[in-house]
Amino acid sequence: MLRRTKIVATLGPATESEEQLQKLIEAGVNVVRLNFSHGDPEDHRIRAERIRSIATRLNRSVAILGDLQGPKIRIGRFQNAKIHLPDGAEFILDAELPIDAGDETQVGLAYTNLPNDCKVGDTLLLDDGRVSLKVKAIEGSRIVTTTIAGGELSNNKGINLEGGGLSAAALTEKDKIDIKLAADLGVDYLAVSFVRRAEDVEEARALLKEAGGSAAILSKIERAEVVRSHELLEEVIKASDAVMVARGDLGVEIGDAELVGVQKHMIAEARRLNKPVITATQMMESMIHNTLPTRAEVFDVANAVLDGTDAVMLSAETATGKRPDEVVRAMGRICMGAEKQPAAQVSTHRMDFTFQKADEGIAMAAMYAANHLEGVKAIVCLTKTGSTPLWMSRINTGLPVFALTRYKTTERRVALYRGVESVAFDSGSTYGSEVNERAITVLKERGVLKAGDKIILTKGENREVEGGTNTLQIVTIG
């Protein structure tokens, strides 16, 4: 049984060497994340080159996701590195205080527009919500607060406004530099942090194109105002090529109690709009240090799979954790356990829709036949752009979808799609039944098909036409 849910792993010091990267890929990673918040351009370049080389050597399709840092909405630094803030204490955030002059009574701001973005009565959440402050006065550059929930506070911790509404632009000057780096590295996906609206996505796409890149744009949904409006969320998803449920900052802004329902809604919306979706943040965090996940983490990953996420993401677990490859294997086992459940194999997706495109109609017909025709072992899709396997991946099924393509960019992009295995395939100048035979031979050599298997095969009569899939065949391998 092939795992359908894809695994995204963040690279870092724990996955620096070629040996560790190879272990990661062998453990089953489908997408690697380059976090542009950390490391320098040369670090990312070396990692990208190593991933490409190892994946080629192992005959695996591994996509690279470049993740932009986004706006630094953070406090400044303390003279003694950290302070203890007691409950009930007055504490001042001052946009004009020197950035490294903080003490037990006040601290500077890296985000100097904060006094204009909040008002008396607002709650500011620092360090992922571990410290919360109630705004009681705004005096020019100074935000005077009362500590609701205190604790240790150290340098450069993040700030969130409960309920959202900070005006910081999604793309900073650093991000614009990193977009050029992403284009130069040839990443397959570019993640935009703190997206507020569809225009942020289009700006990133235009800058990437200008830099010579062609990556798919992935929007990280982590602002309360985006998920609070159904219309705005739909606009952002439609403008994006993929989305991420970025549960860290999102959870801080909307509150943990709301996060479960929002995650389910976002995954459902992304699938309805035919966009891949990644669920991220703290999925296996205990395994940064431990050899086994907690039961809560097992249920968290499994529920995301049952909700229909395309991929689940690891952050510090693989970037700085003790056993990156073991975390990937553990997550893979949980995904496959959840995928055995009937709910993960049944779909009513788009049953009442009509289709405007022939290739979309073929994709939907293929999946309906696959789920209802007895004895089908796999769906084989010859594709140029990856659109047909993307549509197929929106349908729950227990059957593997093999996307065969001669285009490296398509092969790697498809690596994110749920239930789709990308396969390098160059049919050359052959047509008709000869193409079928060559495709079947490639899959038999991989050990995933054998004589007597029944498959559904889709392709286009003119293979070089984008959107040209117009043929569906049911083939018994002889």
Side-chain angles (χ1 to χ4, degrees), residues 86-111:
D87 294 355
E90 181 177 282
F91 192 67
I92 295 171
L93 307 173
D94 190 345
E96 292 185 358
L97 188 74
I99 200 68
D100 55 359
D103 57 28
E104 286 75 9
T105 64
Q106 61 184 347
V107 73
L109 292 169
Y111 178 58

PDB file of all heavy atoms in Angstrom, residues 86-111:
ATOM      1  N   PRO A  86       5.852  39.853  35.740  1.00  0.00           N
ATOM      2  CA  PRO A  86       4.826  39.315  36.632  1.00  0.00           C
ATOM      3  C   PRO A  86       3.415  39.732  36.210  1.00  0.00           C
ATOM      4  O   PRO A  86       3.223  40.762  35.553  1.00  0.00           O
ATOM      5  CB  PRO A  86       5.190  39.930  37.994  1.00  0.00           C
ATOM      6  CG  PRO A  86       5.948  41.170  37.671  1.00  0.00           C
ATOM      7  CD  PRO A  86       6.644  40.931  36.359  1.00  0.00           C
ATOM      8  N   ASP A  87       2.438  38.913  36.566  1.00  0.00           N
ATOM      9  CA  ASP A  87       1.035  39.251  36.303  1.00  0.00           C
ATOM     10  C   ASP A  87       0.711  40.594  36.951  1.00  0.00           C
ATOM     11  O   ASP A  87       1.134  40.886  38.083  1.00  0.00           O
ATOM     12  CB  ASP A  87       0.102  38.187  36.882  1.00  0.00           C
ATOM     13  CG  ASP A  87       0.237  36.847  36.187  1.00  0.00           C
ATOM     14  OD1 ASP A  87       0.989  36.780  35.201  1.00  0.00           O
ATOM     15  OD2 ASP A  87      -0.401  35.879  36.633  1.00  0.00           O
ATOM     16  N   GLY A  88      -0.058  41.407  36.221  1.00  0.00           N
ATOM     17  CA  GLY A  88      -0.508  42.689  36.757  1.00  0.00           C
ATOM     18  C   GLY A  88       0.467  43.823  36.598  1.00  0.00           C
ATOM     19  O   GLY A  88       0.127  44.988  36.865  1.00  0.00           O
ATOM     20  N   ALA A  89       1.683  43.542  36.160  1.00  0.00           N
ATOM     21  CA  ALA A  89       2.692  44.598  36.026  1.00  0.00           C
ATOM     22  C   ALA A  89       2.404  45.480  34.811  1.00  0.00           C
ATOM     23  O   ALA A  89       1.881  45.024  33.796  1.00  0.00           O
ATOM     24  CB  ALA A  89       4.078  43.981  35.895  1.00  0.00           C
ATOM     25  N   GLU A  90       2.746  46.766  34.950  1.00  0.00           N
ATOM     26  CA  GLU A  90       2.677  47.659  33.785  1.00  0.00           C
ATOM     27  C   GLU A  90       3.913  47.417  32.926  1.00  0.00           C
ATOM     28  O   GLU A  90       5.031  47.267  33.436  1.00  0.00           O
ATOM     29  CB  GLU A  90       2.630  49.113  34.238  1.00  0.00           C
ATOM     30  CG  GLU A  90       2.524  50.092  33.058  1.00  0.00           C
ATOM     31  CD  GLU A  90       2.397  51.538  33.503  1.00  0.00           C
ATOM     32  OE1 GLU A  90       1.283  51.944  33.906  1.00  0.00           O
ATOM     33  OE2 GLU A  90       3.417  52.261  33.457  1.00  0.00           O
ATOM     34  N   PHE A  91       3.708  47.389  31.619  1.00  0.00           N
ATOM     35  CA  PHE A  91       4.818  47.160  30.692  1.00  0.00           C
ATOM     36  C   PHE A  91       4.581  47.995  29.452  1.00  0.00           C
ATOM     37  O   PHE A  91       3.444  48.065  28.952  1.00  0.00           O
ATOM     38  CB  PHE A  91       4.932  45.678  30.337  1.00  0.00           C
ATOM     39  CG  PHE A  91       6.204  45.324  29.614  1.00  0.00           C
ATOM     40  CD1 PHE A  91       7.432  45.407  30.249  1.00  0.00           C
ATOM     41  CD2 PHE A  91       6.172  44.904  28.285  1.00  0.00           C
ATOM     42  CE1 PHE A  91       8.608  45.080  29.586  1.00  0.00           C
ATOM     43  CE2 PHE A  91       7.339  44.585  27.615  1.00  0.00           C
ATOM     44  CZ  PHE A  91       8.561  44.675  28.276  1.00  0.00           C
ATOM     45  N   ILE A  92       5.644  48.635  28.960  1.00  0.00           N
ATOM     46  CA  ILE A  92       5.514  49.567  27.843  1.00  0.00           C
ATOM     47  C   ILE A  92       6.244  49.033  26.610  1.00  0.00           C
ATOM     48  O   ILE A  92       7.393  48.583  26.694  1.00  0.00           O
ATOM     49  CB  ILE A  92       6.078  50.957  28.233  1.00  0.00           C
ATOM     50  CG1 ILE A  92       5.223  51.564  29.351  1.00  0.00           C
ATOM     51  CG2 ILE A  92       6.129  51.882  27.020  1.00  0.00           C
ATOM     52  CD1 ILE A  92       5.810  52.814  29.958  1.00  0.00           C
ATOM     53  N   LEU A  93       5.562  49.085  25.482  1.00  0.00           N
ATOM     54  CA  LEU A  93       6.160  48.792  24.173  1.00  0.00           C
ATOM     55  C   LEU A  93       6.364  50.139  23.488  1.00  0.00           C
ATOM     56  O   LEU A  93       5.389  50.859  23.228  1.00  0.00           O
ATOM     57  CB  LEU A  93       5.233  47.899  23.351  1.00  0.00           C
ATOM     58  CG  LEU A  93       4.763  46.606  24.016  1.00  0.00           C
ATOM     59  CD1 LEU A  93       3.713  45.912  23.144  1.00  0.00           C
ATOM     60  CD2 LEU A  93       5.918  45.664  24.267  1.00  0.00           C
ATOM     61  N   ASP A  94       7.615  50.472  23.185  1.00  0.00           N
ATOM     62  CA  ASP A  94       7.926  51.821  22.686  1.00  0.00           C
ATOM     63  C   ASP A  94       8.635  51.737  21.338  1.00  0.00           C
ATOM     64  O   ASP A  94       9.758  51.228  21.237  1.00  0.00           O
ATOM     65  CB  ASP A  94       8.814  52.548  23.707  1.00  0.00           C
ATOM     66  CG  ASP A  94       8.981  54.031  23.381  1.00  0.00           C
ATOM     67  OD1 ASP A  94       8.662  54.441  22.250  1.00  0.00           O
ATOM     68  OD2 ASP A  94       9.456  54.767  24.273  1.00  0.00           O
ATOM     69  N   ALA A  95       7.971  52.254  20.302  1.00  0.00           N
ATOM     70  CA  ALA A  95       8.520  52.195  18.952  1.00  0.00           C
ATOM     71  C   ALA A  95       9.754  53.078  18.774  1.00  0.00           C
ATOM     72  O   ALA A  95      10.511  52.901  17.816  1.00  0.00           O
ATOM     73  CB  ALA A  95       7.448  52.592  17.943  1.00  0.00           C
ATOM     74  N   GLU A  96       9.975  54.040  19.688  1.00  0.00           N
ATOM     75  CA  GLU A  96      11.122  54.933  19.558  1.00  0.00           C
ATOM     76  C   GLU A  96      12.261  54.568  20.513  1.00  0.00           C
ATOM     77  O   GLU A  96      13.330  55.175  20.474  1.00  0.00           O
ATOM     78  CB  GLU A  96      10.683  56.384  19.804  1.00  0.00           C
ATOM     79  CG  GLU A  96       9.763  56.906  18.695  1.00  0.00           C
ATOM     80  CD  GLU A  96       9.415  58.378  18.867  1.00  0.00           C
ATOM     81  OE1 GLU A  96       9.861  58.983  19.875  1.00  0.00           O
ATOM     82  OE2 GLU A  96       8.701  58.905  17.999  1.00  0.00           O
ATOM     83  N   LEU A  97      12.048  53.579  21.360  1.00  0.00           N
ATOM     84  CA  LEU A  97      13.112  53.133  22.254  1.00  0.00           C
ATOM     85  C   LEU A  97      14.179  52.410  21.441  1.00  0.00           C
ATOM     86  O   LEU A  97      13.845  51.645  20.530  1.00  0.00           O
ATOM     87  CB  LEU A  97      12.535  52.190  23.315  1.00  0.00           C
ATOM     88  CG  LEU A  97      13.476  51.775  24.451  1.00  0.00           C
ATOM     89  CD1 LEU A  97      13.670  52.945  25.428  1.00  0.00           C
ATOM     90  CD2 LEU A  97      12.924  50.556  25.199  1.00  0.00           C
ATOM     91  N   PRO A  98      15.472  52.624  21.723  1.00  0.00           N
ATOM     92  CA  PRO A  98      16.514  51.862  21.013  1.00  0.00           C
ATOM     93  C   PRO A  98      16.216  50.369  21.048  1.00  0.00           C
ATOM     94  O   PRO A  98      15.773  49.845  22.078  1.00  0.00           O
ATOM     95  CB  PRO A  98      17.787  52.220  21.778  1.00  0.00           C
ATOM     96  CG  PRO A  98      17.525  53.594  22.315  1.00  0.00           C
ATOM     97  CD  PRO A  98      16.060  53.609  22.662  1.00  0.00           C
ATOM     98  N   ILE A  99      16.492  49.695  19.951  1.00  0.00           N
ATOM     99  CA  ILE A  99      16.047  48.318  19.762  1.00  0.00           C
ATOM    100  C   ILE A  99      16.640  47.352  20.779  1.00  0.00           C
ATOM    101  O   ILE A  99      16.071  46.282  21.037  1.00  0.00           O
ATOM    102  CB  ILE A  99      16.353  47.849  18.320  1.00  0.00           C
ATOM    103  CG1 ILE A  99      15.481  46.649  17.935  1.00  0.00           C
ATOM    104  CG2 ILE A  99      17.823  47.558  18.150  1.00  0.00           C
ATOM    105  CD1 ILE A  99      14.024  46.959  17.804  1.00  0.00           C
ATOM    106  N   ASP A 100      17.782  47.721  21.409  1.00  0.00           N
ATOM    107  CA  ASP A 100      18.423  46.811  22.359  1.00  0.00           C
ATOM    108  C   ASP A 100      18.451  47.370  23.778  1.00  0.00           C
ATOM    109  O   ASP A 100      19.281  46.981  24.596  1.00  0.00           O
ATOM    110  CB  ASP A 100      19.849  46.486  21.909  1.00  0.00           C
ATOM    111  CG  ASP A 100      20.688  47.727  21.696  1.00  0.00           C
ATOM    112  OD1 ASP A 100      20.165  48.850  21.876  1.00  0.00           O
ATOM    113  OD2 ASP A 100      21.876  47.577  21.348  1.00  0.00           O
ATOM    114  N   ALA A 101      17.496  48.257  24.104  1.00  0.00           N
ATOM    115  CA  ALA A 101      17.506  48.936  25.410  1.00  0.00           C
ATOM    116  C   ALA A 101      16.393  48.446  26.332  1.00  0.00           C
ATOM    117  O   ALA A 101      16.060  49.109  27.316  1.00  0.00           O
ATOM    118  CB  ALA A 101      17.392  50.443  25.214  1.00  0.00           C
ATOM    119  N   GLY A 102      15.799  47.305  26.072  1.00  0.00           N
ATOM    120  CA  GLY A 102      14.703  46.809  26.897  1.00  0.00           C
ATOM    121  C   GLY A 102      15.121  46.463  28.311  1.00  0.00           C
ATOM    122  O   GLY A 102      16.269  46.079  28.562  1.00  0.00           O
ATOM    123  N   ASP A 103      14.161  46.618  29.247  1.00  0.00           N
ATOM    124  CA  ASP A 103      14.400  46.210  30.629  1.00  0.00           C
ATOM    125  C   ASP A 103      13.090  45.691  31.219  1.00  0.00           C
ATOM    126  O   ASP A 103      12.163  45.380  30.469  1.00  0.00           O
ATOM    127  CB  ASP A 103      14.977  47.365  31.456  1.00  0.00           C
ATOM    128  CG  ASP A 103      14.091  48.613  31.449  1.00  0.00           C
ATOM    129  OD1 ASP A 103      12.850  48.477  31.301  1.00  0.00           O
ATOM    130  OD2 ASP A 103      14.635  49.724  31.595  1.00  0.00           O
ATOM    131  N   GLU A 104      12.980  45.621  32.559  1.00  0.00           N
ATOM    132  CA  GLU A 104      11.793  45.046  33.191  1.00  0.00           C
ATOM    133  C   GLU A 104      10.545  45.907  33.017  1.00  0.00           C
ATOM    134  O   GLU A 104       9.434  45.446  33.282  1.00  0.00           O
ATOM    135  CB  GLU A 104      12.045  44.835  34.686  1.00  0.00           C
ATOM    136  CG  GLU A 104      12.956  43.674  35.023  1.00  0.00           C
ATOM    137  CD  GLU A 104      14.426  43.970  34.739  1.00  0.00           C
ATOM    138  OE1 GLU A 104      14.758  45.142  34.436  1.00  0.00           O
ATOM    139  OE2 GLU A 104      15.237  43.033  34.799  1.00  0.00           O
ATOM    140  N   THR A 105      10.700  47.132  32.540  1.00  0.00           N
ATOM    141  CA  THR A 105       9.546  48.036  32.426  1.00  0.00           C
ATOM    142  C   THR A 105       9.154  48.356  30.987  1.00  0.00           C
ATOM    143  O   THR A 105       8.038  48.796  30.736  1.00  0.00           O
ATOM    144  CB  THR A 105       9.840  49.369  33.145  1.00  0.00           C
ATOM    145  OG1 THR A 105      10.934  50.039  32.485  1.00  0.00           O
ATOM    146  CG2 THR A 105      10.178  49.124  34.611  1.00  0.00           C
ATOM    147  N   GLN A 106      10.053  48.133  30.029  1.00  0.00           N
ATOM    148  CA  GLN A 106       9.766  48.544  28.653  1.00  0.00           C
ATOM    149  C   GLN A 106      10.665  47.800  27.671  1.00  0.00           C
ATOM    150  O   GLN A 106      11.697  47.235  28.047  1.00  0.00           O
ATOM    151  CB  GLN A 106       9.975  50.051  28.498  1.00  0.00           C
ATOM    152  CG  GLN A 106      11.408  50.479  28.785  1.00  0.00           C
ATOM    153  CD  GLN A 106      11.612  51.979  28.722  1.00  0.00           C
ATOM    154  OE1 GLN A 106      10.755  52.709  28.228  1.00  0.00           O
ATOM    155  NE2 GLN A 106      12.749  52.459  29.204  1.00  0.00           N
ATOM    156  N   VAL A 107      10.246  47.827  26.401  1.00  0.00           N
ATOM    157  CA  VAL A 107      11.054  47.222  25.340  1.00  0.00           C
ATOM    158  C   VAL A 107      10.747  47.932  24.031  1.00  0.00           C
ATOM    159  O   VAL A 107       9.643  48.484  23.845  1.00  0.00           O
ATOM    160  CB  VAL A 107      10.774  45.701  25.221  1.00  0.00           C
ATOM    161  CG1 VAL A 107       9.400  45.436  24.598  1.00  0.00           C
ATOM    162  CG2 VAL A 107      11.853  44.988  24.413  1.00  0.00           C
ATOM    163  N   GLY A 108      11.727  47.948  23.127  1.00  0.00           N
ATOM    164  CA  GLY A 108      11.531  48.542  21.811  1.00  0.00           C
ATOM    165  C   GLY A 108      10.772  47.616  20.877  1.00  0.00           C
ATOM    166  O   GLY A 108      10.422  46.486  21.227  1.00  0.00           O
ATOM    167  N   LEU A 109      10.526  48.104  19.673  1.00  0.00           N
ATOM    168  CA  LEU A 109       9.736  47.361  18.692  1.00  0.00           C
ATOM    169  C   LEU A 109      10.459  47.297  17.355  1.00  0.00           C
ATOM    170  O   LEU A 109      10.890  48.324  16.825  1.00  0.00           O
ATOM    171  CB  LEU A 109       8.368  48.033  18.482  1.00  0.00           C
ATOM    172  CG  LEU A 109       7.387  47.985  19.654  1.00  0.00           C
ATOM    173  CD1 LEU A 109       6.212  48.916  19.395  1.00  0.00           C
ATOM    174  CD2 LEU A 109       6.894  46.561  19.874  1.00  0.00           C
ATOM    175  N   ALA A 110      10.577  46.091  16.797  1.00  0.00           N
ATOM    176  CA  ALA A 110      11.068  45.949  15.424  1.00  0.00           C
ATOM    177  C   ALA A 110       9.989  46.397  14.445  1.00  0.00           C
ATOM    178  O   ALA A 110      10.284  46.878  13.351  1.00  0.00           O
ATOM    179  CB  ALA A 110      11.461  44.499  15.163  1.00  0.00           C
ATOM    180  N   TYR A 111       8.729  46.236  14.859  1.00  0.00           N
ATOM    181  CA  TYR A 111       7.588  46.664  14.040  1.00  0.00           C
ATOM    182  C   TYR A 111       7.095  47.992  14.605  1.00  0.00           C
ATOM    183  O   TYR A 111       6.303  48.041  15.541  1.00  0.00           O
ATOM    184  CB  TYR A 111       6.491  45.601  14.074  1.00  0.00           C
ATOM    185  CG  TYR A 111       5.243  45.970  13.309  1.00  0.00           C
ATOM    186  CD1 TYR A 111       5.299  46.275  11.947  1.00  0.00           C
ATOM    187  CD2 TYR A 111       4.009  46.007  13.941  1.00  0.00           C
ATOM    188  CE1 TYR A 111       4.157  46.614  11.245  1.00  0.00           C
ATOM    189  CE2 TYR A 111       2.853  46.337  13.244  1.00  0.00           C
ATOM    190  CZ  TYR A 111       2.939  46.646  11.899  1.00  0.00           C
ATOM    191  OH  TYR A 111       1.802  46.973  11.197  1.00  0.00           O
TER     192      TYR A 111
END
